[in-house]
């Protein structure tokens, strides 16, 4: 089975390939359902071409999966010469209107049907095959049983399934909620993830304002909080409480159209909400995780395993891709299950909400909702960008030698009182008097891009495609300003930095640190 990982930008694309993906999917500006991802533009195709050369045999899929308006079709046609600069192996589409355009201009690229098309039966798969599609990304509502039946009916059609990441509560992700609440259409790539927001469910106290139900009537729900009453257009609104109505009355209230939602960060706005039979208009779902069920996916005939997350962090992409790579390798007998086990365990340390197997086994599992933000016990401290050349390393030592010499000469000119005052300033302001790096046998320089603050007290762990995790000892490294030769007391994002270490490193290796705010078993709520 192919492992397909998400790449929201060039850096993430490199991590997809570095940490074991057979293929990666990207979006191009304005034509992807993840417009808020960095996506790809201007001359980045050059870097993509280089990556494909660096990782021969890896595939690149391009998502053109928005619902197109006429003006967007025109812009797509205008941008085709630019698209041709990318080494694209397949296009992921839902809008059939662009199929003949892609077939004409990209005859060597495969067509993959987006999950947005909600393809979930054998007859639909046969139809898409007849018009040139090579692969179907199954609608997420399909069960493993249904997938197996489809594969049996159309064995030469490739089947791709999501196996990990955020789930959308809307059918096949076709959500109108974001557009309704703030004018940002999910179908044009601008989803604001409104299903993750914090809401109060509120009902009018009918009777005080001429309503037909008793004063104080409320709907029982385990996902709301009690608050003070609010008012709107002369009616008194109250948050739904735990004073339960009889089931029939609760259903009548839910379907009455009288319920409204009040979003945490929009206290003066009220959004009508209607609940129909067997569905609720606003829910935040669990995250999908199928890493323990890869054998079942293989048995069902799945050809490609897709990880969701073009807007997720580099750390997330790397850790999730690595975990599934090792699990697949174990399934294929390339490594043992014991060898894969510690890598799989790391999956649960990447940011996530509580996990579910969604619709694959039992749809009731997909119906369970969750509150709180995705969470992880780790912060990504920094990325290793590669080794410094011999010339670059010599430059650092040259600057360090000059710094040491200059400071020695300055000290020799000072009288005892001034020297004592200088030593006092160094003690009180250590960041203004940094030590110079010294040569050590067996050490080497690597460019480090800090992403969060790293101090001398930070306990850093190294994670790589082959190393589960390794704690860095204080005597094994120091952080250096490559422009001055000074050893940092601390660094953060934006600081020029090299790590001087005895540990062999490679481009794509990551440094992480424990997040002091994390508490095991508690999913912190950041309001989104």
């Amino acid at each position: 089975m192919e492992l397909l990982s998400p790449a929201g930008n060039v850096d993430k694309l490199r991590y997809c390939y570095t940490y074991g993906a057979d293929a990666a999917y990207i979006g191009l500006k304005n034509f992807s359902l993840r417009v808020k991802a960095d996506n790809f533009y201007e001359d980045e195709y050059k870097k993509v071409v280089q990556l494909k050369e660096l990782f021969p045999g890896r595939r690149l899929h391009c998502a053109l999966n928005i619902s197109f308006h006429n003006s967007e079709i025109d812009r797509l046609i205008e941008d085709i010469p630019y698209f041709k600069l990318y080494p694209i192996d397949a296009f992921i589409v839902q809008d059939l209107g662009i199929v003949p355009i892609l077939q004409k201009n990209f005859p060597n690229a495969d067509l993959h049907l987006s999950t947005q098309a909600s393809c979930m039966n054998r007859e639909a798969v046969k139809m898409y095959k007849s018009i040139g599609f090579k692969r179907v990304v199954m609608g997420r509502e399909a069960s493993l049983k249904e997938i197996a039946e489809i594969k049996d009916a159309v064995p030469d059609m490739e089947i791709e399934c999501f196996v990990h990441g955020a789930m959308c509560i809307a059918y096949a992700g076709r959500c109108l909620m974001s557009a309704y609440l703030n004018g940002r259409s999910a179908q044009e790539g601008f989803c604001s993830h409104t299903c993750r927001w914090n809401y109060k469910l509120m009902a009018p106290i009918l009777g005080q304002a001429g309503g037909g139900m008793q004063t104080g009537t409320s709907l029982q729900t385990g996902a709301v909080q009690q608050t003070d009453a609010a008012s709107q257009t002369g009616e008194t609104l109250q948050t739904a409480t735990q004073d339960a109505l009889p089931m029939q009355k609760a259903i009548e209230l839910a379907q009455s159209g009288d319920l409204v939602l009040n979003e945490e960060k929009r206290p003066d706005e009220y959004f009508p909400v209607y609940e129909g039979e067997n569905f609720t208009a606003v829910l935040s779902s669990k995250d999908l995780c199928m890493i323990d069920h890869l054998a079942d996916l293989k048995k069902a005939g799945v050809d490609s395993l897709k990880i969701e997350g073009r807007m997720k962090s580099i750390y997330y992409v790397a850790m999730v891709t690595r975990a599934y790579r090792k699990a697949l390798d174990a399934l294929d007998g390339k490594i043992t299950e014991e060898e894969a086990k510690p890598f799989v365990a790391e999956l649960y340390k990447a940011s996530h909400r509580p996990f579910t197997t969604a619709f694959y086994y039992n749809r009731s599992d997909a119906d369970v909702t969750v509150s709180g933000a995705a969470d992880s016990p780790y912060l990504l401290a920094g990325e290793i960008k590669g080794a410094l050349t011999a010339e670059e390393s010599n430059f650092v030592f040259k600057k360090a030698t000059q710094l040491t010499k200059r400071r020695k000469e300055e000290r020799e000119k000072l009288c005892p009182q001034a020297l004592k005052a200088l030593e006092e300033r160094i003690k009180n302001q250590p960041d203004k008097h940094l030590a110079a790096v010294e040569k050590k046998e067996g050490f080497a320089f690597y460019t480090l891009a800090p992403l969060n603050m790293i101090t001398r007290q930070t306990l850093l762990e190294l994670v790589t495609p082959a190393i589960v995790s390794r704690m860095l000892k204080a005597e094994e490294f120091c952080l250096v300003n490559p422009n001055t030769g000074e050893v940092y007391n601390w660094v953060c994002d934006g600081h020029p930095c090299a790590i001087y270490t005895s540990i062999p490193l490679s481009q794509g290796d990551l440094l992480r640190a424990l997040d002091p705010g994390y508490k095991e078993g508690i999913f912190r709520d950041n309001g989104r």
Side-chain angles (χ1 to χ4, degrees), residues 408-423 425:
K408 180 181 178 182
E409 292 173 348
E410 290 173 351
R411 282 173 172 268
E412 289 174 347
K413 296 177 181 179
L414 298 177
C415 65
Q417 293 87 347
L419 182 59
K420 184 178 180 180
L422 174 61
E423 291 173 347
R425 286 199 303 273

Side-chain angles (χ1 to χ4, degrees), residues 12-84:
K12 292 176 187 177
L13 180 60
R14 176 183 286 275
Y15 279 91
C16 289
Y17 293 152
T18 299
Y19 280 76
D22 300 301
Y25 62 102
I26 67 172
L28 296 178
K29 285 291 186 184
N30 302 317
F31 299 107
S32 162
L33 285 182
R34 290 293 179 267
V35 167
K36 287 178 68 180
D38 293 343
N39 290 317
F40 293 74
Y41 58 95
E42 295 179 353
D43 65 348
E44 287 190 331
Y45 67 89
K46 297 177 183 177
K47 298 177 182 178
V48 176
V49 170
Q50 291 174 350
L51 281 175
K52 287 269 283 183
E53 293 173 349
L54 185 63
F55 295 93
R58 309 297 175 91
R59 289 174 58 82
L60 181 69
H61 303 173
C62 177
L64 297 178
N65 54 350
I66 67 167
S67 297
F68 284 79
H69 290 279
N70 288 332
S71 59
E72 289 161 335
I73 290 281
D74 294 337
R75 193 166 70 248
L76 171 66
I77 294 172
E78 290 174 4
D79 287 348
I80 282 174
Y82 171 68
F83 288 3
K84 287 185 176 181

Side-chain angles (χ1 to χ4, degrees), residues 12 37 54 61 119 142 152 181 183 242 295 307 332 340 382 405 460 464 498:
K12 292 176 187 177
L54 185 63
H61 303 173
C119 184
D152 287 342
L181 293 188
Q242 296 297 316
I307 297 168
D332 293 338
K405 181 181 178 182
L460 292 176
T464 79

Side-chain angles (χ1 to χ4, degrees), residues 58 86 102 314 316 329 392:
R58 309 297 175 91
Y86 283 84
L102 296 176
I314 284 171
Y316 177 93
D329 288 348
E392 290 169 335

Side-chain angles (χ1 to χ4, degrees), residues 215-264:
T215 301
T217 300
S218 60
L219 177 66
Q220 184 180 24
T221 171
V224 296
Q225 302 172 355
Q226 298 185 36
T227 66
D228 295 332
S231 63
Q232 180 193 36
T233 61
E235 278 190 343
T236 301
L237 295 176
Q238 73 173 17
T239 302
T241 71
Q242 296 297 316
D243 301 326
L245 289 171
M247 179 56 68
Q248 186 56 41
K249 286 290 186 181
I251 292 173
E252 289 176 5
L253 178 59
Q255 297 180 353
S256 69
D258 291 325
L259 294 176
V260 296
L261 290 175
N262 180 228
E263 202 272 319
E264 181 181 42

Side-chain angles (χ1 to χ4, degrees), residues 374-503:
D375 216 347
S376 169
Y378 286 99
L379 295 171
L380 181 56
E383 305 172 57
I384 303 300
K385 294 295 189 179
L388 268 64
T389 65
E391 183 179 355
E392 290 169 335
S393 298
N394 289 335
F395 174 81
V396 178
F397 287 125
K398 179 181 178 181
K399 299 299 289 187
T401 299
Q402 292 174 344
L403 178 64
T404 301
K405 181 181 178 182
R406 184 174 68 250
R407 286 177 174 174
K408 180 181 178 182
E409 292 173 348
E410 290 173 351
R411 282 173 172 268
E412 289 174 347
K413 296 177 181 179
L414 298 177
C415 65
Q417 293 87 347
L419 182 59
K420 184 178 180 180
L422 174 61
E423 291 173 347
E424 187 67 23
R425 286 199 303 273
I426 292 174
K427 180 180 177 181
N428 295 331
Q429 299 176 315
D431 291 339
K432 292 185 178 181
H433 302 271
L434 298 174
V437 65
E438 298 178 358
K439 273 190 178 182
K440 293 184 179 181
E441 187 68 29
F443 276 59
F445 283 110
Y446 302 87
T447 299
L448 173 66
L451 299 174
N452 278 292
M453 180 174 283
I454 306 173
T455 71
R456 289 181 181 272
Q457 289 72 43
T458 303
L459 298 177
L460 292 176
E461 290 184 35
L462 171 69
V463 292
T464 79
I467 298 174
V468 177
S469 67
R470 183 194 188 284
M471 190 69 72
L472 272 62
K473 300 176 183 177
E475 63 270 19
E476 292 180 315
F477 77 99
C478 62
L479 303 179
V480 179
N481 185 330
N483 299 324
T484 65
E486 295 172 296
V487 177
Y488 285 119
N489 290 323
W490 60 271
V491 293
C492 62
D493 186 15
H495 285 186
C497 185
I499 182 170
Y500 189 47
T501 179
S502 59
I503 303 170

